[in-house]
Amino acid sequence: MASSPKQAPTPKGIKFLFGGTAGMAATVFVQPLDLVKNRMQMSGEGGKVREHKTSFHAVLKIFQKEGLRGMYTGLSAGLFRQATYTTTRLGIYSTLFDLTSGQDGSPPNFATKASIGMVAGATGAFVGTPAEISLIRMTSDGRLPPEQRRGYTSVFNALARITREEGLFTLWRGCGPTMARAMVVNAAQLASYSQSKQFLLGTGYFQDNIFCHFGASMISGFVTTCASMPVDIAKTRIQNMKVIDGKPEYSGGIDVLSKTIRSEGVLSLWKGFTPYYARLGPHTVLTFIFLEQMNKMYRNYASTAQC
């Protein structure tokens, strides 16, 4: 019997393309949660009366004021963020993974994987910061009085206007906290997802399938949310702040955290926890589902083309 032809490896360019596309597809489903998370993090800023008591209250208010379409405000920025951040992150990670693998093809150890994950996350965050700042501003606009809204019509309109009105370097405002958050998220996700999956498989109730992946993703999402939210709220407020008479509202991430704790309490650093957590787990699962399906279709296409 003739042996089946050896499967050709997927080109790196295709892997990067699929990674970014999978992240964009997942974002279409979780964008409303990103919107609610950002609104919750801006609620009560500077000791003002909190606009939203809970995430459910925020959803209700957004529906009442902005309608169903309002829940997808900033979608273009969310998609562009995935196209820049996720594609870069996966590309850097894949490249460094190959470089640190053994001569026999054995994967790098856990510490090395965590390290390259942090490097990849930080690099991707730097590239994705312009899209991130556009997303923060677009999703926060609806909470402001009409005369104070920026009124960006799309991510490209946001990028052009920010550059024209505030200068090119404003696109990287909050870059430090954004990169720090990405490093925390990548490190926490790697450690907690691996351990959670190992734990679930060890119970005897799970097999290595989508149900196990979903469960591990949700546990990992909880741990990652707890670890990264203080950095995330600092990033959100810095990127949404306005410069009045040449004086910015915050001097940096530490200033945001100290002012937030002083005026709103320590627990406010985890404001928007529910939508953040609800977004992180499903987004990870959906990204991998879409990624697996695209890889499967490509392998079928490649094998058909060889025949």
Side-chain angles (χ1 to χ4, degrees):
M1 181 182 291
S3 59
S4 57
K6 186 178 180 180
Q7 188 81 55
T10 305
K12 265 193 170 52
I14 297 295
K15 287 182 180 179
F16 299 168
L17 174 64
F18 285 173
T21 304
M24 292 172 72
T27 294
V28 172
F29 291 89
V30 302
Q31 176 66 19
L33 295 171
D34 226 4
L35 174 79
V36 174
K37 185 266 292 184
N38 289 340
R39 293 285 178 92
M40 287 292 292
Q41 290 184 335
M42 297 305 301
S43 177
E45 184 182 19
K48 299 175 185 177
V49 177
R50 290 180 62 179
E51 300 159 79
H52 308 301
K53 300 178 179 67
T54 66
S55 299
F56 298 106
H57 180 256
V59 171
L60 181 63
K61 285 294 183 182
I62 294 169
F63 263 120
Q64 289 176 341
K65 290 178 62 178
E66 303 167 55
L68 179 61
R69 187 175 180 180
M71 295 298 294
Y72 279 89
T73 300
L75 178 61
S76 63
L79 293 174
F80 190 62
R81 178 183 180 274
Q82 292 298 321
T84 52
Y85 167 67
T86 301
T87 303
T88 303
R89 181 182 63 150
L90 292 178
I92 297 292
Y93 183 83
S94 177
T95 301
L96 293 178
F97 188 94
D98 290 343
L99 288 174
T100 54
S101 294
Q103 294 288 337
D104 58 351
S106 59
N109 58 40
F110 179 79
T112 302
K113 284 190 283 188
S115 298
I116 64 177
M118 292 173 70
V119 172
T123 307
F126 178 81
V127 175
T129 295
E132 184 85 34
I133 197 170
S134 302
L135 175 64
I136 296 299
R137 292 186 174 194
M138 291 177 75
T139 53
S140 299
D141 220 25
R143 60 183 285 274
L144 299 172
E147 66 275 8
Q148 295 181 22
R149 294 176 186 174
R150 294 180 170 101
Y152 300 137
T153 56
S154 70
V155 63
F156 301 110
N157 176 251
L159 295 172
R161 280 185 51 193
I162 291 170
T163 303
R164 186 172 64 251
E165 297 168 10
E166 303 173 58
L168 179 64
F169 291 112
T170 306
L171 293 176
W172 278 272
R173 178 184 292 165
C175 184
T178 302
M179 293 172 70
R181 174 192 172 276
M183 292 174 73
V184 171
V185 166
N186 277 273
Q189 276 185 330
L190 276 170
S192 58
Y193 182 83
S194 176
Q195 286 301 116
S196 300
K197 183 178 177 183
Q198 183 179 336
F199 168 76
L200 292 176
L201 291 173
T203 63
Y205 295 106
F206 290 87
Q207 295 181 337
D208 194 359
N209 53 28
I210 187 62
F211 298 107
C212 178
H213 301 164
F214 181 81
S217 294
M218 296 308 289
I219 296 172
S220 171
F222 182 82
V223 175
T224 305
T225 299
C226 290
S228 64
M229 277 213 75
V231 184
D232 191 69
I233 198 169
K235 170 193 73 67
T236 298
R237 292 194 174 185
I238 288 175
Q239 292 178 328
N240 191 58
M241 73 178 179
K242 292 185 177 181
V243 179
I244 303 172
D245 297 327
K247 185 179 180 181
E249 295 177 73
Y250 304 108
S251 60
I254 301 299
D255 187 40
V256 175
L257 296 178
S258 62
K259 286 181 177 177
T260 301
I261 292 172
R262 197 162 55 242
S263 62
E264 303 169 55
V266 176
L267 292 180
S268 64
L269 297 181
W270 286 271
K271 191 183 293 179
F273 184 95
T274 302
Y276 189 106
Y277 169 57
R279 174 197 179 280
L280 198 59
H283 189 274
T284 302
V285 172
L286 287 169
T287 298
F288 281 113
I289 289 175
F290 289 128
L291 188 59
E292 288 293 342
Q293 291 304 308
M294 285 187 283
N295 282 327
K296 183 179 179 181
M297 286 189 288
Y298 179 83
R299 286 193 296 268
N300 290 339
Y301 167 79
S303 61
T304 301
Q306 289 177 348
C307 295

